[in-house]
Amino acid sequence: MVTAVQDSPLTSDEVLRFVARLQSSDVVVDAAAGIDLISALETVKCASVATQAVVTDAVATAISNERKERGKPKAQWRNGIASQIGLARRESPNRGGTHLGLARALVHEMPHTLARLKAGELNEWRAMILARETACLTVDDRRTIDERLCADPATLAGAGDRTIEGRARALANELDAASQVKRRAKAYAARRTSTRPAPESMGFFTVLTSMEKMVCMWATLRRDADTIINSGGDTRTRDQIMADLVFERITGASAAQGPPVTVDVVIADSALLAGGDTSAYMHGYGDIPSDVARQLIRDTLDSETHVALRRLYAHPTSGALTAVESTSRAFPTALGRLIDLRDRTCRTPWCDAPIRHHDHIRPHSAGGRTSAENGAGLCAACNYAKEGDGWTAEARRDKWGARHRYTLISPTGHTYDSSAPPMPVVELYNSRIENVIITGLFDDDAA
């Protein structure tokens, strides 16, 4: 039972004092008391999410109103707010936008869902499901579903994720069947491919498309894999054949030949030439074991693939990569590739999206140089947010040879430090193997 107590406005200091109490508390040994504590802490989590939503909406409204009063164009009223929310929650700007959208829906259109969240009877994910399944409805229809599902706490008591999703979708179909057609059209417009690492130096390649196309692709791969198996002489499993067929049909090369494109791998000289065990780094994937990197290189050397070796240098203790400078405004190809390899992913804290833009930390218009020290790799969303009103950034150089670092300063004055990841070793080698492994960064004489 939670009793509401009217008090002065909640402050961050009060919340942090409660957090300190949690951090310093002993663990309850008694099982029954422990279960009660787990349940109570879950209620705290849900109530915290509800409070976060209310505060998020209030912050967004305050920033928008301030810009409106200053006479800013309407298109700029909400610029960069999602990035500030994401940084405050230690998440990416994209996730910040998701949380901002949920907050607006809960506060302005779904008061009963917000009440269930405050009471600890719904968690954040289930509130997100309800908001998602009603997103294409009119405000009135959304409020109707909110009332029918969440006004009475007993309605969703004990309901799991799928049950809540199914009931919200059924009501949406009942109130506005056309909204489902709109949702399908919107979802299909967002079709895409993506990759993510998997354990043991493997990776997932994912295609998001319509159900009928997905089923058609799967059935085609399975049919052709069965044909290969039935013809005899192939020791691969059906799943292995299907995976190889995907690669061959996308790239036009056989799976045994490897990819017909350049792939970046940074590996230590001691690991490449002397059998050291320092991890290598594959651009676009992440760290890989040195044994795997050497095997990839050996396999490529045994093929007809062109191989070239280019050297990079890093500071012996910090792993900071050698800088390259240019007098041009745009980042040259070689310098851009250096930044890509140095930063690996978007440099905004908690955003690990792929690099799409090479950004001047200090704007070029303000005298910022086109250099590795004044450059940072950002995703498109973070770069656009940084160009918004009130954002600034400062490059930091603590000492010679230190890893690249800069500070991002939000319009509210909050600061966030960003440090480039260390290179694998003291002296780094980067090779260019056009069909499989490693691409060059700059010529040996430029190094």
Side-chain angles (χ1 to χ4, degrees):
M1 179 69 179
V2 179
T3 303
V5 178
Q6 294 295 331
D7 201 353
S8 58
L10 186 67
T11 67
S12 59
D13 286 342
E14 291 178 86
V15 174
L16 292 176
R17 282 197 294 271
F18 175 67
V19 171
R21 173 80 174 91
L22 292 177
Q23 292 170 337
S24 61
S25 298
D26 294 331
V27 177
V28 178
V29 178
D30 179 74
I35 292 295
D36 288 339
L37 182 57
I38 291 172
S39 179
L41 289 172
E42 186 63 26
T43 300
V44 170
K45 286 166 56 180
C46 296
S48 296
V49 168
T51 303
Q52 269 190 323
V54 174
V55 174
T56 295
D57 176 70
V59 167
T61 301
I63 294 174
S64 298
N65 289 343
E66 188 269 338
R67 292 175 179 174
K68 180 180 179 181
E69 292 171 0
R70 287 165 51 198
K72 293 287 184 179
K74 187 175 182 178
Q76 297 181 14
W77 291 355
R78 296 185 180 181
N79 281 357
I81 296 178
S83 294
Q84 294 188 67
I85 300 302
L87 288 168
R89 293 186 59 136
R90 303 181 185 95
E91 295 196 63
S92 70
N94 181 61
R95 289 290 296 170
T98 300
H99 291 305
L100 177 57
L102 175 62
R104 290 190 176 280
L106 291 174
V107 172
H108 299 286
E109 300 173 6
M110 306 177 73
H112 297 292
T113 303
L114 180 61
R116 300 284 72 76
L117 195 59
K118 284 183 177 180
E121 295 157 351
L122 280 179
N123 60 28
E124 184 176 30
W125 175 241
R126 289 169 183 167
M128 186 81 74
I129 289 174
L130 290 171
R132 183 190 68 199
E133 294 302 321
T134 57
C136 285
L137 300 177
T138 65
V139 173
D140 289 340
D141 284 344
R142 181 179 240 182
R143 287 173 177 163
T144 298
I145 292 179
D146 173 61
E147 182 176 2
R148 291 173 67 174
L149 290 181
C150 296
D152 183 356
T155 304
L156 294 181
D161 296 351
R162 291 188 178 181
T163 299
I164 292 174
E165 180 179 352
R167 295 182 70 172
R169 187 173 298 168
L171 286 174
N173 289 335
E174 176 186 323
L175 294 173
D176 185 3
S179 68
Q180 300 306 308
V181 177
K182 296 177 184 177
R183 287 191 61 180
R184 175 180 168 81
K186 183 178 179 180
Y188 186 66
R191 61 192 183 278
R192 61 188 181 275
T193 62
S194 60
T195 62
R196 60 187 175 93
E200 284 78 49
S201 302
M202 300 292 283
F204 293 100
F205 180 85
T206 306
V207 179
L208 178 65
T209 188
S210 61
M211 182 184 301
E212 69 277 7
K213 290 185 178 180
M214 176 271 293
V215 172
C216 179
M217 289 189 293
W218 179 264
T220 301
L221 288 170
R222 188 176 180 87
R223 178 201 64 195
D224 294 349
D226 287 342
T227 300
I228 293 173
I229 291 173
N230 293 335
S231 65
D234 201 308
T235 60
R236 294 175 295 173
T237 66
R238 178 182 288 105
D239 287 341
Q240 290 171 339
I241 294 173
M242 292 171 70
D244 290 344
L245 286 173
V246 171
F247 173 84
E248 292 168 6
R249 290 174 180 180
I250 291 177
T251 65
S254 70
Q257 291 176 334
V261 293
T262 298
V263 178
D264 293 318
V265 171
V266 180
I267 184 170
D269 58 344
S270 58
L272 177 62
L273 305 175
D277 57 5
T278 303
S279 292
Y281 178 79
M282 176 176 286
H283 192 58
Y285 176 85
D287 293 304
I288 60 175
S290 57
D291 286 344
V292 173
R294 285 192 294 269
Q295 183 62 51
L296 291 172
I297 295 172
R298 280 195 296 268
D299 292 344
T300 305
L301 291 173
D302 291 339
S303 68
E304 297 180 355
T305 304
H306 174 69
V307 179
L309 183 70
R310 299 177 187 271
R311 292 174 294 178
L312 305 178
Y313 296 92
H315 188 273
T317 56
S318 68
L321 189 61
T322 302
V324 175
E325 296 191 355
S326 169
T327 57
S328 65
R329 187 197 188 287
F331 286 86
T333 301
L335 179 55
R337 300 184 90 176
L338 182 146
I339 291 174
D340 289 343
L341 289 176
R342 181 196 69 194
D343 295 349
R344 303 187 181 182
T345 60
C346 178
R347 281 287 296 278
T348 300
W350 303 294
C351 180
D352 55 3
I355 293 173
R356 293 288 182 258
H357 294 174
H358 300 130
D359 177 63
H360 289 79
I361 296 173
R362 181 182 182 186
H364 188 270
S365 59
R369 295 183 300 168
T370 302
S371 65
E373 184 170 350
N374 193 50
L378 299 178
C379 68
C382 287
N383 191 29
Y384 293 141
K386 179 177 172 289
E387 296 301 317
D389 188 38
W391 290 87
T392 58
E394 299 177 3
R396 304 289 188 187
R397 174 63 70 126
D398 298 330
K399 57 184 178 179
W400 183 85
R403 283 189 284 135
H404 185 263
R405 185 168 73 92
Y406 77 94
T407 299
L408 181 65
I409 307 168
S410 74
T412 55
H414 292 83
T415 60
Y416 304 91
D417 286 338
S418 173
S419 296
M423 289 291 105
V425 288
V426 178
E427 184 176 10
L428 305 176
Y429 288 83
N430 183 303
S431 301
R432 183 170 188 166
I433 303 176
E434 292 186 353
N435 274 356
V436 178
I437 307 295
I438 309 170
T439 184
L441 184 59
F442 42 69
D443 294 336
D444 291 345
D445 55 0

